[in-house]
Amino acid sequence: MEPISDNKLKYILDNDISIQQYFCILLLSVLAELIDDPQLFIDSIMKTIGPNMYVILKAKGLIKDNYSNFGDLIRDINKAMDISDNIDVIYGEDGSLIAFVHLKDNNCKYCPKGIGGADLGSTCCPFIILFEAIGEEVGLRYRASEFKKENNVCKIVYKIVKEKNNTKFRKLFA
């Protein structure tokens, strides 16, 4: 793990990242560095905690009881958790959804690599699967099929799931 630089410290302070939030980022960062497949590790954690996050977000009135639109749910989670400056969504003709997570200074507020300083080949984004898991709790069945970070935007492509996938955890990105 990289020691915190003056630039990262300034980013954390300027973006009002709480000490609890930073603690969680550092914890995920260190754990990801200790694992052979960190994205699969992060994905399995998010799949497991998703139902509990749904319950607490709903109980605090930060998300609605019902959603018919996955994009609205993603935007509400972003607002509730202060993930990024903005998330835009577009729908494809095939029912797919593309979420564009707009980043300030090339990082969201939870990035294990960008904020936490994890020495990793990938970002180990926790939200790819957390959005899926919370979506499943409200009856929206989408699975991420692509993730790409470029030009201060993270792009996540979700495909609608027609049949239940019995695989508890899956490797998303090679």
Side-chain angles (χ1 to χ4, degrees):
M1 170 176 281
E2 301 171 1
I4 191 165
S5 67
D6 289 341
N7 286 341
K8 279 191 185 163
L9 179 60
K10 182 175 178 1
Y11 180 85
I12 290 164
L13 296 174
D14 289 350
N15 287 283
D16 198 28
I17 296 175
S18 72
I19 193 67
Q20 296 90 344
Q21 191 175 11
Y22 188 61
F23 174 80
C24 291
I25 296 164
L26 290 176
L27 184 61
L28 277 179
S29 299
V30 170
L31 290 171
E33 284 184 340
L34 298 173
I35 304 298
D36 287 336
D37 190 340
Q39 188 65 59
L40 180 61
F41 174 70
I42 299 291
D43 292 350
S44 63
I45 290 171
M46 294 304 112
K47 189 75 168 170
T48 303
I49 70 170
N52 287 346
M53 288 299 299
Y54 164 73
V55 169
I56 196 71
L57 289 170
K58 190 173 109 182
K60 286 184 165 271
L62 298 171
I63 61 173
K64 301 182 288 190
D65 290 336
N66 297 307
Y67 286 87
S68 59
N69 182 301
F70 190 49
D72 289 344
L73 175 64
I74 289 172
R75 283 189 290 267
D76 285 352
I77 294 169
N78 178 54
K79 184 178 176 185
M81 296 182 67
D82 195 22
I83 298 165
S84 73
D85 299 330
N86 184 39
I87 294 181
D88 291 322
V89 296
I90 60 170
Y91 285 91
E93 292 177 16
D94 60 354
S96 64
L97 176 138
I98 303 171
F100 296 96
V101 182
H102 298 273
L103 311 172
K104 182 178 181 184
D105 300 323
N106 207 27
N107 298 300
C108 79
K109 293 184 177 183
Y110 290 83
C111 185
K113 185 175 180 175
I115 301 297
D119 186 18
L120 303 169
S122 68
T123 64
C124 287
C125 178
F127 295 105
I128 299 167
I129 302 302
L130 186 64
F131 293 153
E132 280 184 16
I134 294 174
E136 203 164 292
E137 292 298 309
V138 300
L140 300 171
R141 310 237 2 254
Y142 284 84
R143 294 292 176 259
S145 62
E146 180 185 337
F147 175 82
K148 189 176 190 179
K149 182 177 181 178
E150 61 183 29
N151 300 324
N152 290 356
V153 176
C154 286
K155 174 184 170 185
I156 310 168
V157 178
Y158 289 97
K159 302 287 184 184
I160 196 160
V161 176
K162 301 205 186 298
E163 293 182 22
K164 183 149 179 91
N165 182 353
N166 290 327
T167 305
K168 186 170 183 175
F169 303 115
R170 63 191 158 74
K171 186 170 182 173
L172 231 133
F173 309 102

